[in-house]
Amino acid sequence: METPDTAADTPAEPTGVAAQDWATASAEPHYRAAVVDLLGALAYGELAAFERLAEDAKLAPTLGDKAELAKMASAEFHHFEQLRDRLSAIGADPTEAMEPFVAALDGFHRQTAPSDWLEGLVKAYVGDSIASDFYREVAARLDGDTRGLVLGVLDDTGHASFAVEKVRAAIDADPRVGGRLALWARRLMGEALSQSQRVVADRDALSTMLVGGVADGFDLAEVGRMFSRITEAHTKRMAALGLAA
């Protein structure tokens, strides 16, 4: 017999668009446009993550650390290739799909350029995780085929455990580092949430999906709850790093 806790943890059966495959769901033009936007944003995010990790590898203090970041960068590029290929497969031009998101994402990375190795690790762990949480929330409202792809490319490339290990070791060695990195992570949180909200607001198809036009049962109140869940997850990650949220 299920206890109340386990029953509550059982995922609800998908309904509406979430219960359909791509062939069925894409017959709705607005839904198709929203998916092209979503995959375009994700694809450019993965490409930018590849470039950033390759740059961060130059700041690595050891050859082992450099190799680890290079491996993660390679995984991000593979995710980009999957998204690019999917866009082509559904008849969308990958470059055109990514273009609307270049300015916002590049602006975010310019405003949050790390000054050292540890700030780079925190940015990849905190900033990328906030974006991943946002896309996972959206994925719950996607058709099964698209949802599987999105969740697959959001898989952790190993950066989470690597960042936690390195940051906690640095704080143990010099507790003063913790205060500086906590301030940095709070700044990243604000910038990442603002950037996510700007991306949605600028794209009609995506905003319609989030407030219930295309995605079943997703209203404005739920959007607020979504961002609350993202904030709660951020607080837990900060604790894992040994930093105050």
Side-chain angles (χ1 to χ4, degrees), residues 72 75-76 79 125 129 132 136 151-162:
M72 294 171 202
E76 298 287 9
H79 289 163
Y125 178 55
S129 295
S132 293
R136 284 191 180 93
L151 294 178
V153 300
L154 293 176
D155 278 349
D156 179 31
T157 59
H159 206 287
S161 58
F162 181 76

Side-chain angles (χ1 to χ4, degrees), residues 39 42-51 53 69-87 149-157:
L39 297 185
L42 266 172
Y44 189 69
E46 294 292 340
L47 185 58
F50 159 73
E51 291 178 319
L53 285 170
L69 283 190
K71 181 174 71 174
M72 294 171 202
S74 176
E76 298 287 9
F77 191 76
H78 178 58
H79 289 163
F80 160 73
E81 290 179 312
Q82 289 178 283
L83 292 159
R84 178 200 62 196
D85 292 348
R86 178 61 176 168
L87 282 163
L149 170 65
V150 169
L151 294 178
V153 300
L154 293 176
D155 278 349
D156 179 31
T157 59

